[in-house]
């Protein structure tokens, strides 16, 4: 039960009386008359205060996600990784890839995830030939247009870096049908399975 005594200055005896469902004998009428009880205007004032507080709380609840977003943005802008030079960040990305070949058919491969983090990371990933020079086209079923686009992307972004390309037999036909050509000179090492 809420402590009525602290809210309205009621005596403990009267609080006990009000809280009891069984009427004690004798009834403390003098005590009831001498105790201040809020009137209709006081209740109305309290009701208005409650409504204002609830409205202020709803307003704060609406603002909270925006404040959290601004806080996260500020932390992101001040993150130490933003101070790294692009070439160092590129080397970190090469380390993250761990020498693994890019899986052209993977939807959730590491290289594709790095491209989606932010504009700067995308720029660094696309300007780091070592990330793109080793790839394979596996057995996974991928739309020909997607596969062709990704192969062309790897060939173009690897620039003059030595290539290591693994192709499954069904891939040769796709490459012939799409007429993929690479800008720049390269000598691919093709492994067929």
């Amino acid at each position: 039960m809420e402590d009525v005594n602290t809210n309205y200055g009621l005596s403990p005896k009267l609080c006990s009386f009000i809280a009891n469902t069984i009427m004690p004998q004798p009834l403390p009428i003098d005590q009831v008359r001498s105790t201040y009880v809020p009137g209709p205007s006081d209740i109305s004032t309290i009701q208005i205060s409650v409504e204002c507080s609830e409205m202020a709380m709803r307003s704060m609840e609406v603002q909270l996600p925006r404040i959290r977003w601004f806080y996260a943005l500020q932390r992101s802008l001040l993150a130490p990784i933003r101070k790294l030079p692009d070439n160092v960040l590129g080397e970190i990305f090469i380390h993250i890839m761990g020498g693994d070949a890019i899986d052209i058919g993977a939807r959730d491969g590491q290289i594709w995830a790095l491209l989606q983090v932010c504009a700067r990371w995308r720029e660094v990933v696309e300007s780091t030939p070592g990330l793109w020079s080793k790839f394979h086209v596996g057995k996974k079923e991928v739309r020909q247009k997607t596969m062709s686009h990704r192969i062309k992307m790897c060939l173009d972004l690897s620039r003059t870096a030595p290539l290591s390309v693994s192709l499954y037999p069904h891939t040769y036909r796709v490459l012939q049908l799409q007429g993929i050509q690479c800008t720049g000179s390269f000598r691919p090492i093709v492994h067929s399975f």
Side-chain angles (χ1 to χ4, degrees), residues 51-123:
E51 289 170 4
C52 287
S53 298
E54 287 173 347
M55 201 163 39
M57 202 160 74
R58 281 191 299 272
S59 173
M60 286 184 233
E61 286 173 350
V62 168
Q63 291 176 15
L64 190 59
R66 186 173 181 207
I67 291 169
R68 284 185 176 139
W69 182 83
F70 276 122
Y71 175 72
L73 178 63
Q74 182 184 33
R75 284 193 59 195
S76 170
L77 292 172
L78 299 174
I81 198 162
R82 289 190 177 264
K83 296 175 185 172
L84 288 177
D86 290 350
N87 62 334
V88 173
L89 192 56
E91 288 300 318
I92 291 171
F93 293 157
I94 289 172
H95 181 73
I96 288 172
M97 292 294 290
D100 295 338
I102 296 171
D103 184 354
I104 296 296
R107 288 185 177 171
D108 57 352
Q110 292 172 330
I111 194 82
W112 313 120
L114 289 172
L115 285 169
Q116 296 176 12
V117 172
C118 66
R120 178 176 179 230
W121 282 27
R122 182 178 190 87
E123 188 178 301

Side-chain angles (χ1 to χ4, degrees), residues 112-185:
W112 313 120
L114 289 172
L115 285 169
Q116 296 176 12
V117 172
C118 66
R120 178 176 179 230
W121 282 27
R122 182 178 190 87
E123 188 178 301
V124 170
V125 168
E126 288 179 348
S127 66
T128 307
L131 290 170
W132 300 96
S133 61
K134 186 177 181 182
F135 64 93
H136 79 271
V137 183
K139 297 177 182 177
K140 293 182 183 174
E141 290 296 322
V142 182
R143 289 186 5 226
Q144 285 186 1
K145 188 175 182 179
T146 302
M147 182 171 41
S148 298
H149 172 74
R150 287 185 173 180
I151 291 171
K152 182 165 178 25
M153 186 177 185
C154 287
L155 292 173
D156 289 343
L157 294 175
S158 66
R159 292 178 184 74
T160 59
L163 290 176
S164 174
V165 181
S166 305
L167 303 172
Y168 280 83
H170 76 279
T171 311
Y172 293 115
R173 177 129 175 90
V174 174
L175 291 174
Q176 289 172 347
L177 290 173
Q178 296 298 317
I180 292 181
Q181 296 178 6
C182 179
T183 59
S185 61

Side-chain angles (χ1 to χ4, degrees), residues 3-21:
D3 189 3
V4 179
N5 188 26
T6 59
N7 288 334
Y8 300 109
L10 301 176
S11 68
K13 226 178 193 182
L14 184 58
C15 286
S16 171
F17 169 73
I18 292 171
N20 253 332
T21 54

Side-chain angles (χ1 to χ4, degrees), residues 25-40:
Q25 295 297 324
L27 189 62
I29 292 177
D30 292 339
Q31 214 176 17
V32 171
R33 285 188 182 141
S34 66
T35 304
Y36 169 75
V37 177

